[in-house]
Amino acid sequence: MTGWVLHVDLDQFIAAVEVLRHPELAGRPVIVGGRGDPTERGVVATASYEAREHGVHSAMPLRTAAKRCPDAVFLPVDAPAYEEVSAVVMDTLRASAPVVEVLGWDEAFLAVTTGPGQEPEEVAAGVQRSVLEATGLHCSVGIGDNKLRAKIATEFGKPQGSFRLTEQNWFAVMGERPTDALWGIGRKTARRLAELGILTVADLAATPAQELADRLGPTMGPWYRRLGRGADTSPVRGEPYVNRSHGRETTFQQDLTDPRRIEEEVRRLAARVGQDVSAEGRPAARVGLKIRFAPFETRTRSLTLAAPTEDPDELGAAAVRLLERFALGDAGRPVRLLGVRAEMAAPDPADRSGAKERPQTGAGS
């Protein structure tokens, strides 16, 4: 018996769910985001492959997406619908593998084993058939000898396919790719590595751990080198997901400049976060505030509470204290977005009964 990790990723999940709900949209460029109005402020949650061909991608302003793809169909985000379909997908995956680690609405790791003469691609194909039969949705599957390689392999299998990435073919596939092709390295870190002359995955793997530790820190430096070698020892965990935080944010169609109105909106968001925290049944230990000034400058502040609490008034008061750190003044800078987030105290390991089975995405107004 041979153990494998499969990374299952639903293809264009949100857009695909919308096409299932609206079959007449099949083959057309579909963009989901905000309230579905590209004349309003908001960002793209997802775009169909047809829209991506025009350069549309997630987190892009809706107005920009409309300019790039004027013939696209714009739809509002409908989180409950996506959660409902996601639940069916995850139940299907649990029936296909003994251990499933949910990463979000549309992706999960599976720990599987193959017997003599059986290839993991056969297991992956079976998972794809099961998901398609249960939901009408297609998925791609990355096959790896650990979670890191399985996650990266998925991109080579998209769409609707599978790809195997292991220690044996790691450098043949990944060696000459840029460092930000690695799961865990973004553009900012890639730029820092480039300043050190580290441009490719092979460069990173060949750099001495001590050199990376000296330049990037004793913890992160060696960890980046392990990424470069595709090394990962973390197991696939099947425990129910436990929320670490709850957040609410809203983008205003008209910039806010009145400090009193800004404070009112902060308290309103904090009250909604307090309701989410109370429903979770675990008190918040830390509060964060995000402000996006016009045109697009984002700043954040956070503080640790004197004692964990579920009281919306206390969370609101903490958020207002954070607001004061921005020193908006009587005629503050125009504010286009506000967000409040509460980080919850760690759960009691002996009580996982209230654990959520699916991660929550950032909830908007």
Side-chain angles (χ1 to χ4, degrees):
M1 303 292 283
T2 303
W4 298 94
V5 177
L6 304 186
H7 175 254
V8 179
D9 192 0
L10 276 293
D11 296 327
Q12 55 175 7
F13 174 65
I14 294 175
V17 171
E18 292 293 354
V19 171
L20 284 178
R21 300 168 74 191
H22 308 282
E24 70 276 10
L25 299 181
R28 299 184 61 183
V30 175
I31 299 173
V32 182
R35 297 191 295 188
D37 185 347
T39 66
E40 294 184 349
R41 288 177 173 173
V43 297
V44 175
T46 195
S48 67
Y49 290 130
E50 293 81 3
R52 296 179 195 182
E53 292 177 356
H54 294 267
V56 178
H57 57 76
S58 298
M60 173 182 286
L62 291 176
R63 291 175 180 173
T64 303
K67 291 178 181 178
R68 293 192 179 185
C69 191
D71 296 329
V73 176
F74 285 82
L75 297 172
V77 173
D78 187 352
Y82 313 142
E83 290 176 349
E84 182 178 349
V85 177
S86 175
V88 177
V89 171
M90 298 308 160
D91 286 344
T92 302
L93 296 181
R94 292 186 183 98
S96 303
V99 184
V100 176
E101 180 177 337
V102 179
L103 299 182
W105 280 342
D106 59 348
E107 60 176 327
F109 286 119
L110 281 64
V112 301
T113 56
T114 55
Q118 184 182 27
E119 297 295 335
E121 285 79 5
E122 299 175 42
V123 180
V127 169
Q128 291 171 315
R129 287 193 298 270
S130 296
V131 171
L132 182 61
E133 292 171 0
T135 65
L137 298 175
H138 292 280
C139 61
S140 300
V141 181
I143 303 167
D145 48 8
N146 61 35
K147 288 165 66 173
L148 173 65
R149 291 182 178 130
K151 171 75 172 179
I152 295 173
T154 310
E155 293 304 314
F156 294 96
K158 284 185 172 289
Q160 301 181 29
S162 65
F163 188 85
R164 188 194 302 195
L165 186 59
T166 67
E167 183 178 6
Q168 283 68 39
N169 67 341
W170 173 256
F171 286 111
V173 174
M174 297 295 297
E176 298 307 311
R177 293 176 65 82
T179 56
D180 59 6
L182 293 169
W183 184 37
I185 294 183
R187 293 181 181 178
K188 184 176 180 180
T189 300
R191 286 196 297 269
R192 292 184 64 191
L193 292 171
E195 292 171 357
L196 303 177
I198 302 170
L199 303 178
T200 67
V201 172
D203 292 339
L204 182 58
T207 304
Q210 187 59 53
E211 180 179 338
L212 290 169
D214 293 341
R215 299 293 190 90
L216 301 173
T219 299
M220 298 307 297
W223 182 69
Y224 289 138
R225 184 174 186 272
R226 290 195 294 273
L227 290 183
R229 294 184 292 115
D232 179 17
T233 59
S234 60
V236 177
R237 299 185 179 278
E239 300 93 343
Y241 179 88
V242 177
N243 288 313
R244 296 180 180 178
S245 64
H246 284 286
R248 296 279 182 169
E249 64 180 43
T250 185
T251 299
F252 304 102
Q253 297 307 312
Q254 299 294 328
D255 294 338
L256 303 184
T257 57
D258 183 350
R260 289 173 296 182
R261 172 74 190 286
I262 294 172
E263 180 177 329
E264 290 174 0
E265 292 293 338
V266 167
R267 290 188 183 277
R268 182 181 67 83
L269 289 168
R272 297 183 65 187
V273 170
Q275 293 172 354
D276 295 335
V277 169
S278 180
E280 183 77 12
R282 287 165 41 223
R286 190 172 181 84
V287 173
L289 177 65
K290 176 168 73 172
I291 297 182
R292 180 166 296 153
F293 295 104
F296 216 81
E297 178 188 351
T298 304
R299 295 186 180 181
T300 60
R301 298 286 188 274
S302 63
L303 61 81
T304 300
L305 299 171
T309 181
E310 300 177 20
D311 187 341
D313 291 336
E314 291 188 32
L315 297 178
V320 170
R321 290 200 300 275
L322 289 171
L323 182 62
E324 294 170 353
R325 297 185 184 180
F326 288 91
L328 298 177
D330 294 333
R333 296 175 57 188
V335 172
R336 62 177 291 155
L337 176 147
L338 289 169
V340 174
R341 180 164 294 276
E343 298 177 14
M344 293 177 291
D348 183 348
D351 180 14
R352 298 298 297 272
S353 60
K356 302 292 185 182
E357 292 200 353
R358 293 187 302 278
Q360 291 194 353
T361 59
S365 295

